[in-house]
Amino acid sequence: MNSDVKKVLISEAEIQQKVKELAERISKDYKGKHLLMICILKGAIMFYSDLARNISIPMAMDFMAVSSYGAGTKTSGEVRILKDLSGPAEGLDILIVEDILDSGNTLNYIENILKDRNPASLKICTLLDKPERREKPIVVDYVGFAIPDEFVIGYGLDYSERYRNLPYIGVLKEEVYASPAE
Ligand code: PRP
C-alpha cells in the first residue's frame, strides 16, 4: 500500500466486481439505443475505461473536462469547461460517467449544458457518492458505492494531481494534505 494512504476503503477486487455489475446493467438498459458514454476527465478515466471494456453493446465515446477544485481538498462551487465534447449530442442516449459525486456542483453544471443540446436521453453513472455533502440535488441512475465524507484518492481520484494511478480507493492520511510537500 502507498505510504500516504491511511486505509484502503474499496479494494481493487471490489471495484472490478462493481464495474462488471454496472456494465451489465447499462448494457441491458441501452440495448437498441444510441449510447454515447461521456468520460468526465480527469477523475473518471480509470472507471470509464474499465466500464467501457465491460459494455457488451455498441457504444460511442467522448470526453469532457471540467474543473471545480483547483489544488485544494474542498470544492469551490465554481465550474469551468476545460474541454468540450468533440461531436454533437443531439438525438443520442448520453450516459455521463463520473468518479465521484460530492457537492453536485459539477454534475449539475454538466447536466444543464448537455440538456440544451437535445440528447434523446441523459443519465448519470458515478462510481462514488458522498450523499452527506450534497449542495445541489442530482438524480443518479447508476451508483457504485456510497461512501462517508473522507478524503479519498486513487483509481482516478487525486490530491494535487497525485495518486490517480492507484488501483484501489484509499483514504489519504491527514498529514499529507495538512502540510503538503512540494
Ligand atoms: C472532481 C470529481 C468530480 C467533482 C465532484 O473533479 O472528478 O468531477 O470533483 O465534486 P462536486 O460534486 O463537488 O462538484 P475535479 O474538479 O477535482 O477534477 P479532476 O476530475 O480532474 O480531478
mmCIF file of all heavy atoms in Angstrom, residues 40-45 64-70 72 74-79 82 97-108 110 126 130 133-136 138 156-159 161 164, ligand 1:
data_model
loop_
_atom_site.group_PDB
_atom_site.id
_atom_site.type_symbol
_atom_site.label_atom_id
_atom_site.label_comp_id
_atom_site.label_asym_id
_atom_site.label_seq_id
_atom_site.Cartn_x
_atom_site.Cartn_y
_atom_site.Cartn_z
ATOM 1 N N ILE A 40 -15.907 12.166 -17.796
ATOM 2 C CA ILE A 40 -15.567 13.476 -17.248
ATOM 3 C C ILE A 40 -14.135 13.406 -16.707
ATOM 4 O O ILE A 40 -13.878 12.811 -15.659
ATOM 5 C CB ILE A 40 -16.571 13.905 -16.145
ATOM 6 C CG1 ILE A 40 -18.032 13.786 -16.643
ATOM 7 C CG2 ILE A 40 -16.264 15.335 -15.691
ATOM 8 C CD1 ILE A 40 -18.375 14.614 -17.874
ATOM 9 N N LEU A 41 -13.251 14.026 -17.478
ATOM 10 C CA LEU A 41 -11.825 13.988 -17.142
ATOM 11 C C LEU A 41 -11.524 14.893 -15.949
ATOM 12 O O LEU A 41 -12.257 15.860 -15.729
ATOM 13 C CB LEU A 41 -11.008 14.466 -18.346
ATOM 14 C CG LEU A 41 -11.123 13.589 -19.602
ATOM 15 C CD1 LEU A 41 -10.535 14.310 -20.804
ATOM 16 C CD2 LEU A 41 -10.447 12.250 -19.377
ATOM 17 N N LYS A 42 -10.448 14.698 -15.237
ATOM 18 C CA LYS A 42 -9.596 13.546 -15.400
ATOM 19 C C LYS A 42 -10.035 12.387 -14.507
ATOM 20 O O LYS A 42 -9.684 11.230 -14.767
ATOM 21 C CB LYS A 42 -8.151 13.906 -14.990
ATOM 22 C CG LYS A 42 -7.526 14.998 -15.793
ATOM 23 C CD LYS A 42 -6.152 15.359 -15.175
ATOM 24 C CE LYS A 42 -5.595 16.649 -15.742
ATOM 25 N NZ LYS A 42 -4.488 17.159 -14.919
ATOM 26 N N GLY A 43 -10.734 12.702 -13.441
ATOM 27 C CA GLY A 43 -11.004 11.721 -12.379
ATOM 28 C C GLY A 43 -11.646 10.415 -12.830
ATOM 29 O O GLY A 43 -11.364 9.364 -12.257
ATOM 30 N N ALA A 44 -12.515 10.501 -13.862
ATOM 31 C CA ALA A 44 -13.283 9.304 -14.233
ATOM 32 C C ALA A 44 -12.525 8.363 -15.157
ATOM 33 O O ALA A 44 -13.044 7.303 -15.534
ATOM 34 C CB ALA A 44 -14.603 9.713 -14.883
ATOM 35 N N ILE A 45 -11.301 8.715 -15.523
ATOM 36 C CA ILE A 45 -10.602 7.972 -16.582
ATOM 37 C C ILE A 45 -10.489 6.463 -16.331
ATOM 38 O O ILE A 45 -10.747 5.651 -17.219
ATOM 39 C CB ILE A 45 -9.206 8.591 -16.863
ATOM 40 C CG1 ILE A 45 -8.440 7.798 -17.898
ATOM 41 C CG2 ILE A 45 -8.357 8.749 -15.644
ATOM 42 C CD1 ILE A 45 -8.185 8.550 -19.154
ATOM 43 N N MET A 64 -15.100 15.011 -21.733
ATOM 44 C CA MET A 64 -15.258 16.410 -21.335
ATOM 45 C C MET A 64 -14.357 16.624 -20.132
ATOM 46 O O MET A 64 -14.193 15.719 -19.305
ATOM 47 C CB MET A 64 -16.691 16.665 -20.857
ATOM 48 C CG MET A 64 -17.570 17.400 -21.820
ATOM 49 S SD MET A 64 -19.200 17.631 -21.099
ATOM 50 C CE MET A 64 -19.244 19.386 -21.087
ATOM 51 N N ALA A 65 -13.786 17.807 -20.056
ATOM 52 C CA ALA A 65 -13.012 18.129 -18.853
ATOM 53 C C ALA A 65 -13.576 19.396 -18.246
ATOM 54 O O ALA A 65 -13.773 20.400 -18.942
ATOM 55 C CB ALA A 65 -11.543 18.317 -19.198
ATOM 56 N N VAL A 66 -13.900 19.321 -16.963
ATOM 57 C CA VAL A 66 -14.347 20.498 -16.232
ATOM 58 C C VAL A 66 -13.538 20.562 -14.948
ATOM 59 O O VAL A 66 -12.970 19.560 -14.517
ATOM 60 C CB VAL A 66 -15.854 20.424 -15.891
ATOM 61 C CG1 VAL A 66 -16.700 20.447 -17.142
ATOM 62 C CG2 VAL A 66 -16.172 19.226 -15.045
ATOM 63 N N SER A 67 -13.480 21.708 -14.359
ATOM 64 C CA SER A 67 -12.703 21.810 -13.128
ATOM 65 C C SER A 67 -13.459 22.626 -12.103
ATOM 66 O O SER A 67 -14.036 23.657 -12.407
ATOM 67 C CB SER A 67 -11.359 22.464 -13.410
ATOM 68 O OG SER A 67 -10.606 22.432 -12.221
ATOM 69 N N SER A 68 -13.472 22.117 -10.874
ATOM 70 C CA SER A 68 -14.121 22.867 -9.798
ATOM 71 C C SER A 68 -13.258 22.953 -8.557
ATOM 72 O O SER A 68 -13.539 23.744 -7.668
ATOM 73 C CB SER A 68 -15.453 22.213 -9.437
ATOM 74 O OG SER A 68 -15.231 20.898 -8.999
ATOM 75 N N TYR A 69 -12.216 22.153 -8.478
ATOM 76 C CA TYR A 69 -11.494 22.017 -7.208
ATOM 77 C C TYR A 69 -10.207 22.813 -7.102
ATOM 78 O O TYR A 69 -9.760 23.088 -6.000
ATOM 79 C CB TYR A 69 -11.152 20.531 -6.951
ATOM 80 C CG TYR A 69 -12.248 19.793 -6.249
ATOM 81 C CD1 TYR A 69 -13.582 20.079 -6.518
ATOM 82 C CD2 TYR A 69 -11.954 18.814 -5.319
ATOM 83 C CE1 TYR A 69 -14.595 19.402 -5.879
ATOM 84 C CE2 TYR A 69 -12.970 18.131 -4.670
ATOM 85 C CZ TYR A 69 -14.281 18.426 -4.955
ATOM 86 O OH TYR A 69 -15.288 17.750 -4.322
ATOM 87 N N GLY A 70 -9.578 23.149 -8.222
ATOM 88 C CA GLY A 70 -8.248 23.742 -8.123
ATOM 89 C C GLY A 70 -7.321 22.759 -7.433
ATOM 90 O O GLY A 70 -7.450 21.551 -7.603
ATOM 91 N N GLY A 72 -7.022 22.445 -4.097
ATOM 92 C CA GLY A 72 -7.424 22.224 -2.703
ATOM 93 C C GLY A 72 -8.161 20.915 -2.499
ATOM 94 O O GLY A 72 -8.286 20.105 -3.395
ATOM 95 N N LYS A 74 -11.330 20.957 -1.012
ATOM 96 C CA LYS A 74 -12.766 21.267 -0.941
ATOM 97 C C LYS A 74 -13.215 21.904 -2.256
ATOM 98 O O LYS A 74 -12.471 22.647 -2.894
ATOM 99 C CB LYS A 74 -13.026 22.263 0.198
ATOM 100 C CG LYS A 74 -12.760 21.683 1.571
ATOM 101 C CD LYS A 74 -14.073 21.403 2.294
ATOM 102 C CE LYS A 74 -13.882 20.431 3.442
ATOM 103 N NZ LYS A 74 -13.158 21.020 4.558
ATOM 104 N N THR A 75 -14.467 21.661 -2.635
ATOM 105 C CA THR A 75 -14.984 22.262 -3.860
ATOM 106 C C THR A 75 -15.182 23.766 -3.672
ATOM 107 O O THR A 75 -15.540 24.229 -2.598
ATOM 108 C CB THR A 75 -16.317 21.594 -4.268
ATOM 109 O OG1 THR A 75 -16.724 22.178 -5.484
ATOM 110 C CG2 THR A 75 -17.403 21.775 -3.247
ATOM 111 N N SER A 76 -14.946 24.528 -4.742
ATOM 112 C CA SER A 76 -15.123 25.982 -4.675
ATOM 113 C C SER A 76 -16.522 26.374 -5.134
ATOM 114 O O SER A 76 -16.966 27.497 -4.930
ATOM 115 C CB SER A 76 -14.088 26.658 -5.572
ATOM 116 O OG SER A 76 -14.300 26.260 -6.912
ATOM 117 N N GLY A 77 -17.246 25.427 -5.767
ATOM 118 C CA GLY A 77 -18.581 25.733 -6.278
ATOM 119 C C GLY A 77 -18.524 26.297 -7.683
ATOM 120 O O GLY A 77 -19.523 26.338 -8.376
ATOM 121 N N GLU A 78 -17.374 26.757 -8.118
ATOM 122 C CA GLU A 78 -17.224 27.292 -9.475
ATOM 123 C C GLU A 78 -16.855 26.171 -10.424
ATOM 124 O O GLU A 78 -15.955 25.393 -10.132
ATOM 125 C CB GLU A 78 -16.056 28.281 -9.509
ATOM 126 C CG GLU A 78 -16.455 29.710 -9.267
ATOM 127 C CD GLU A 78 -15.237 30.595 -9.236
ATOM 128 O OE1 GLU A 78 -14.443 30.534 -10.189
ATOM 129 O OE2 GLU A 78 -15.079 31.316 -8.232
ATOM 130 N N VAL A 79 -17.526 26.129 -11.563
ATOM 131 C CA VAL A 79 -17.212 25.081 -12.543
ATOM 132 C C VAL A 79 -16.829 25.750 -13.855
ATOM 133 O O VAL A 79 -17.452 26.715 -14.278
ATOM 134 C CB VAL A 79 -18.428 24.151 -12.751
ATOM 135 C CG1 VAL A 79 -18.094 23.030 -13.701
ATOM 136 C CG2 VAL A 79 -18.904 23.583 -11.415
ATOM 137 N N LEU A 82 -13.033 22.917 -19.425
ATOM 138 C CA LEU A 82 -11.650 22.932 -19.916
ATOM 139 C C LEU A 82 -11.568 22.276 -21.298
ATOM 140 O O LEU A 82 -10.734 22.624 -22.103
ATOM 141 C CB LEU A 82 -10.725 22.187 -18.950
ATOM 142 C CG LEU A 82 -10.713 22.695 -17.501
ATOM 143 C CD1 LEU A 82 -9.815 21.822 -16.644
ATOM 144 C CD2 LEU A 82 -10.263 24.145 -17.440
ATOM 145 N N VAL A 97 -20.293 9.699 -17.206
ATOM 146 C CA VAL A 97 -19.568 8.828 -16.270
ATOM 147 C C VAL A 97 -18.624 9.658 -15.414
ATOM 148 O O VAL A 97 -17.726 10.343 -15.922
ATOM 149 C CB VAL A 97 -18.790 7.730 -17.025
ATOM 150 C CG1 VAL A 97 -18.008 6.851 -16.052
ATOM 151 C CG2 VAL A 97 -19.747 6.876 -17.853
ATOM 152 N N GLU A 98 -18.844 9.606 -14.106
ATOM 153 C CA GLU A 98 -18.060 10.375 -13.131
ATOM 154 C C GLU A 98 -17.375 9.443 -12.142
ATOM 155 O O GLU A 98 -17.852 8.329 -11.897
ATOM 156 C CB GLU A 98 -18.988 11.310 -12.345
ATOM 157 C CG GLU A 98 -19.015 12.737 -12.828
ATOM 158 C CD GLU A 98 -17.712 13.499 -12.527
ATOM 159 O OE1 GLU A 98 -16.647 12.874 -12.351
ATOM 160 O OE2 GLU A 98 -17.771 14.731 -12.477
ATOM 161 N N ASP A 99 -16.291 9.902 -11.564
ATOM 162 C CA ASP A 99 -15.657 9.133 -10.499
ATOM 163 C C ASP A 99 -16.349 9.375 -9.163
ATOM 164 O O ASP A 99 -16.587 8.441 -8.411
ATOM 165 C CB ASP A 99 -14.160 9.465 -10.387
ATOM 166 C CG ASP A 99 -13.904 10.958 -10.270
ATOM 167 O OD1 ASP A 99 -14.697 11.762 -10.806
ATOM 168 O OD2 ASP A 99 -12.904 11.348 -9.636
ATOM 169 N N ILE A 100 -16.695 10.648 -8.887
ATOM 170 C CA ILE A 100 -17.284 10.940 -7.583
ATOM 171 C C ILE A 100 -18.302 12.074 -7.670
ATOM 172 O O ILE A 100 -18.096 13.050 -8.393
ATOM 173 C CB ILE A 100 -16.188 11.250 -6.525
ATOM 174 C CG1 ILE A 100 -16.781 11.384 -5.117
ATOM 175 C CG2 ILE A 100 -15.380 12.486 -6.887
ATOM 176 C CD1 ILE A 100 -15.752 11.295 -3.997
ATOM 177 N N LEU A 101 -19.389 11.888 -6.939
ATOM 178 C CA LEU A 101 -20.424 12.912 -6.796
ATOM 179 C C LEU A 101 -20.315 13.415 -5.362
ATOM 180 O O LEU A 101 -20.500 12.651 -4.409
ATOM 181 C CB LEU A 101 -21.790 12.283 -7.075
ATOM 182 C CG LEU A 101 -23.044 13.098 -6.786
ATOM 183 C CD1 LEU A 101 -23.030 14.441 -7.481
ATOM 184 C CD2 LEU A 101 -24.270 12.294 -7.211
ATOM 185 N N ASP A 102 -20.006 14.709 -5.246
ATOM 186 C CA ASP A 102 -19.736 15.275 -3.932
ATOM 187 C C ASP A 102 -20.791 16.353 -3.651
ATOM 188 O O ASP A 102 -21.923 16.031 -3.301
ATOM 189 C CB ASP A 102 -18.300 15.836 -3.995
ATOM 190 C CG ASP A 102 -17.709 16.165 -2.638
ATOM 191 O OD1 ASP A 102 -18.457 16.625 -1.772
ATOM 192 O OD2 ASP A 102 -16.504 15.975 -2.441
ATOM 193 N N SER A 103 -20.475 17.625 -3.885
ATOM 194 C CA SER A 103 -21.478 18.683 -3.696
ATOM 195 C C SER A 103 -22.573 18.610 -4.756
ATOM 196 O O SER A 103 -23.692 19.069 -4.536
ATOM 197 C CB SER A 103 -20.809 20.061 -3.758
ATOM 198 O OG SER A 103 -20.384 20.338 -5.074
ATOM 199 N N GLY A 104 -22.222 18.055 -5.926
ATOM 200 C CA GLY A 104 -23.180 18.012 -7.033
ATOM 201 C C GLY A 104 -23.023 19.192 -7.974
ATOM 202 O O GLY A 104 -23.683 19.254 -9.009
ATOM 203 N N ASN A 105 -22.162 20.146 -7.648
ATOM 204 C CA ASN A 105 -21.996 21.341 -8.494
ATOM 205 C C ASN A 105 -21.526 20.976 -9.905
ATOM 206 O O ASN A 105 -22.016 21.531 -10.881
ATOM 207 C CB ASN A 105 -20.998 22.315 -7.867
ATOM 208 C CG ASN A 105 -21.603 23.034 -6.679
ATOM 209 O OD1 ASN A 105 -22.725 23.500 -6.737
ATOM 210 N ND2 ASN A 105 -20.861 23.097 -5.581
ATOM 211 N N THR A 106 -20.568 20.066 -10.010
ATOM 212 C CA THR A 106 -20.020 19.692 -11.315
ATOM 213 C C THR A 106 -21.090 19.039 -12.190
ATOM 214 O O THR A 106 -21.312 19.451 -13.332
ATOM 215 C CB THR A 106 -18.835 18.712 -11.139
ATOM 216 O OG1 THR A 106 -17.879 19.310 -10.262
ATOM 217 C CG2 THR A 106 -18.183 18.378 -12.462
ATOM 218 N N LEU A 107 -21.765 18.025 -11.633
ATOM 219 C CA LEU A 107 -22.765 17.316 -12.431
ATOM 220 C C LEU A 107 -23.970 18.188 -12.756
ATOM 221 O O LEU A 107 -24.541 18.080 -13.838
ATOM 222 C CB LEU A 107 -23.185 16.026 -11.718
ATOM 223 C CG LEU A 107 -22.242 14.860 -11.985
ATOM 224 C CD1 LEU A 107 -22.579 13.670 -11.102
ATOM 225 C CD2 LEU A 107 -22.299 14.439 -13.457
ATOM 226 N N ASN A 108 -24.333 19.068 -11.837
ATOM 227 C CA ASN A 108 -25.438 19.995 -12.096
ATOM 228 C C ASN A 108 -25.123 20.868 -13.309
ATOM 229 O O ASN A 108 -25.947 21.056 -14.207
ATOM 230 C CB ASN A 108 -25.665 20.836 -10.845
ATOM 231 C CG ASN A 108 -26.785 21.831 -11.017
ATOM 232 O OD1 ASN A 108 -26.544 23.012 -11.239
ATOM 233 N ND2 ASN A 108 -28.014 21.373 -10.946
ATOM 234 N N ILE A 110 -22.804 20.252 -15.739
ATOM 235 C CA ILE A 110 -22.684 19.441 -16.955
ATOM 236 C C ILE A 110 -24.061 19.036 -17.482
ATOM 237 O O ILE A 110 -24.338 19.099 -18.678
ATOM 238 C CB ILE A 110 -21.817 18.189 -16.685
ATOM 239 C CG1 ILE A 110 -20.381 18.606 -16.412
ATOM 240 C CG2 ILE A 110 -21.874 17.207 -17.850
ATOM 241 C CD1 ILE A 110 -19.493 17.494 -15.916
ATOM 242 N N THR A 126 -22.041 7.173 -11.555
ATOM 243 C CA THR A 126 -20.884 7.590 -10.756
ATOM 244 C C THR A 126 -20.369 6.408 -9.948
ATOM 245 O O THR A 126 -21.164 5.605 -9.436
ATOM 246 C CB THR A 126 -21.226 8.779 -9.826
ATOM 247 O OG1 THR A 126 -20.031 9.232 -9.174
ATOM 248 C CG2 THR A 126 -22.250 8.424 -8.759
ATOM 249 N N LYS A 130 -20.886 10.734 -2.258
ATOM 250 C CA LYS A 130 -20.822 11.211 -0.870
ATOM 251 C C LYS A 130 -22.116 11.975 -0.590
ATOM 252 O O LYS A 130 -22.144 13.203 -0.696
ATOM 253 C CB LYS A 130 -19.647 12.182 -0.691
ATOM 254 C CG LYS A 130 -18.290 11.554 -0.489
ATOM 255 C CD LYS A 130 -17.280 12.668 -0.226
ATOM 256 C CE LYS A 130 -15.878 12.133 -0.023
ATOM 257 N NZ LYS A 130 -14.899 13.228 0.089
ATOM 258 N N ARG A 133 -22.605 15.342 1.518
ATOM 259 C CA ARG A 133 -22.001 16.614 1.108
ATOM 260 C C ARG A 133 -22.806 17.351 0.031
ATOM 261 O O ARG A 133 -22.396 18.392 -0.457
ATOM 262 C CB ARG A 133 -20.588 16.363 0.580
ATOM 263 C CG ARG A 133 -19.728 15.680 1.604
ATOM 264 C CD ARG A 133 -18.351 16.181 1.716
ATOM 265 N NE ARG A 133 -17.914 16.993 0.628
ATOM 266 C CZ ARG A 133 -17.250 18.130 0.791
ATOM 267 N NH1 ARG A 133 -17.033 18.572 1.997
ATOM 268 N NH2 ARG A 133 -16.816 18.799 -0.248
ATOM 269 N N ARG A 134 -23.968 16.818 -0.316
ATOM 270 C CA ARG A 134 -24.709 17.375 -1.446
ATOM 271 C C ARG A 134 -25.204 18.800 -1.221
ATOM 272 O O ARG A 134 -25.762 19.112 -0.180
ATOM 273 C CB ARG A 134 -25.904 16.474 -1.778
ATOM 274 C CG ARG A 134 -26.422 16.699 -3.185
ATOM 275 C CD ARG A 134 -25.576 16.027 -4.264
ATOM 276 N NE ARG A 134 -25.943 14.633 -4.385
ATOM 277 C CZ ARG A 134 -25.148 13.655 -3.952
ATOM 278 N NH1 ARG A 134 -23.972 13.904 -3.424
ATOM 279 N NH2 ARG A 134 -25.528 12.400 -4.070
ATOM 280 N N GLU A 135 -24.969 19.663 -2.211
ATOM 281 C CA GLU A 135 -25.487 21.042 -2.203
ATOM 282 C C GLU A 135 -26.550 21.223 -3.279
ATOM 283 O O GLU A 135 -27.448 22.035 -3.135
ATOM 284 C CB GLU A 135 -24.344 22.043 -2.455
ATOM 285 C CG GLU A 135 -23.346 22.130 -1.301
ATOM 286 C CD GLU A 135 -22.106 22.925 -1.670
ATOM 287 O OE1 GLU A 135 -22.102 23.625 -2.698
ATOM 288 O OE2 GLU A 135 -21.115 22.823 -0.919
ATOM 289 N N LYS A 136 -26.390 20.499 -4.384
ATOM 290 C CA LYS A 136 -27.363 20.570 -5.483
ATOM 291 C C LYS A 136 -28.019 19.192 -5.627
ATOM 292 O O LYS A 136 -27.322 18.176 -5.600
ATOM 293 C CB LYS A 136 -26.649 20.890 -6.807
ATOM 294 C CG LYS A 136 -25.962 22.241 -6.836
ATOM 295 C CD LYS A 136 -26.738 23.224 -7.680
ATOM 296 C CE LYS A 136 -26.257 24.649 -7.489
ATOM 297 N NZ LYS A 136 -24.851 24.850 -7.820
ATOM 298 N N ILE A 138 -29.195 15.980 -7.282
ATOM 299 C CA ILE A 138 -28.809 15.289 -8.521
ATOM 300 C C ILE A 138 -29.465 13.910 -8.508
ATOM 301 O O ILE A 138 -29.408 13.213 -7.495
ATOM 302 C CB ILE A 138 -27.267 15.076 -8.576
ATOM 303 C CG1 ILE A 138 -26.510 16.393 -8.554
ATOM 304 C CG2 ILE A 138 -26.863 14.235 -9.778
ATOM 305 C CD1 ILE A 138 -26.496 17.139 -9.863
ATOM 306 N N GLY A 156 -8.137 7.049 -10.233
ATOM 307 C CA GLY A 156 -8.537 8.271 -10.946
ATOM 308 C C GLY A 156 -8.614 9.506 -10.073
ATOM 309 O O GLY A 156 -8.416 10.623 -10.533
ATOM 310 N N LEU A 157 -8.887 9.311 -8.782
ATOM 311 C CA LEU A 157 -9.034 10.470 -7.893
ATOM 312 C C LEU A 157 -7.672 10.936 -7.383
ATOM 313 O O LEU A 157 -6.825 10.110 -7.016
ATOM 314 C CB LEU A 157 -9.926 10.133 -6.699
ATOM 315 C CG LEU A 157 -11.399 9.922 -7.041
ATOM 316 C CD1 LEU A 157 -11.734 8.457 -7.067
ATOM 317 C CD2 LEU A 157 -12.284 10.663 -6.052
ATOM 318 N N ASP A 158 -7.512 12.257 -7.319
ATOM 319 C CA ASP A 158 -6.203 12.800 -6.973
ATOM 320 C C ASP A 158 -6.225 13.684 -5.727
ATOM 321 O O ASP A 158 -7.272 14.118 -5.261
ATOM 322 C CB ASP A 158 -5.674 13.666 -8.122
ATOM 323 C CG ASP A 158 -6.385 15.015 -8.203
ATOM 324 O OD1 ASP A 158 -7.624 15.035 -8.174
ATOM 325 O OD2 ASP A 158 -5.695 16.054 -8.257
ATOM 326 N N TYR A 159 -5.039 13.951 -5.240
ATOM 327 C CA TYR A 159 -4.787 15.107 -4.398
ATOM 328 C C TYR A 159 -3.594 15.814 -5.034
ATOM 329 O O TYR A 159 -2.520 15.187 -5.165
ATOM 330 C CB TYR A 159 -4.476 14.717 -2.942
ATOM 331 C CG TYR A 159 -3.982 15.908 -2.159
ATOM 332 C CD1 TYR A 159 -4.796 17.014 -1.974
ATOM 333 C CD2 TYR A 159 -2.688 15.950 -1.653
ATOM 334 C CE1 TYR A 159 -4.347 18.137 -1.314
ATOM 335 C CE2 TYR A 159 -2.225 17.066 -0.983
ATOM 336 C CZ TYR A 159 -3.062 18.154 -0.823
ATOM 337 O OH TYR A 159 -2.609 19.267 -0.170
ATOM 338 N N GLU A 161 -2.999 16.310 -8.088
ATOM 339 C CA GLU A 161 -2.609 15.517 -9.264
ATOM 340 C C GLU A 161 -1.880 14.210 -8.940
ATOM 341 O O GLU A 161 -1.469 13.497 -9.847
ATOM 342 C CB GLU A 161 -1.778 16.340 -10.264
ATOM 343 C CG GLU A 161 -2.542 17.494 -10.889
ATOM 344 C CD GLU A 161 -3.832 17.067 -11.585
ATOM 345 O OE1 GLU A 161 -3.875 15.980 -12.165
ATOM 346 O OE2 GLU A 161 -4.813 17.837 -11.516
ATOM 347 N N ARG A 164 -3.613 9.259 -8.723
ATOM 348 C CA ARG A 164 -4.657 8.817 -9.653
ATOM 349 C C ARG A 164 -4.412 7.396 -10.146
ATOM 350 O O ARG A 164 -5.343 6.699 -10.544
ATOM 351 C CB ARG A 164 -4.711 9.745 -10.885
ATOM 352 C CG ARG A 164 -5.202 11.154 -10.605
ATOM 353 C CD ARG A 164 -5.516 11.829 -11.932
ATOM 354 N NE ARG A 164 -5.560 13.276 -11.849
ATOM 355 C CZ ARG A 164 -6.642 13.989 -11.575
ATOM 356 N NH1 ARG A 164 -7.772 13.381 -11.304
ATOM 357 N NH2 ARG A 164 -6.600 15.301 -11.550
HETATM 358 C C1 PRP B 1 -13.830 16.082 -9.029
HETATM 359 C C2 PRP B 1 -14.572 14.842 -9.493
HETATM 360 C C3 PRP B 1 -15.898 15.380 -9.907
HETATM 361 C C4 PRP B 1 -16.133 16.549 -8.971
HETATM 362 C C5 PRP B 1 -17.105 16.174 -7.907
HETATM 363 O O1 PRP B 1 -13.274 16.692 -10.136
HETATM 364 O O2 PRP B 1 -13.903 14.205 -10.554
HETATM 365 O O3 PRP B 1 -15.894 15.824 -11.248
HETATM 366 O O4 PRP B 1 -14.852 16.882 -8.425
HETATM 367 O O5 PRP B 1 -17.302 17.206 -6.983
HETATM 368 P P1 PRP B 1 -18.645 18.041 -6.846
HETATM 369 O O6 PRP B 1 -19.799 17.084 -6.801
HETATM 370 O O7 PRP B 1 -18.448 18.737 -5.508
HETATM 371 O O8 PRP B 1 -18.737 19.020 -7.964
HETATM 372 P P2 PRP B 1 -12.088 17.788 -10.097
HETATM 373 O O9 PRP B 1 -12.695 19.141 -10.334
HETATM 374 O O10 PRP B 1 -11.293 17.602 -8.850
HETATM 375 O O11 PRP B 1 -11.239 17.452 -11.376
HETATM 376 P P3 PRP B 1 -10.498 16.071 -11.808
HETATM 377 O O12 PRP B 1 -11.602 15.099 -12.184
HETATM 378 O O13 PRP B 1 -9.679 16.462 -12.987
HETATM 379 O O14 PRP B 1 -9.674 15.584 -10.644
#
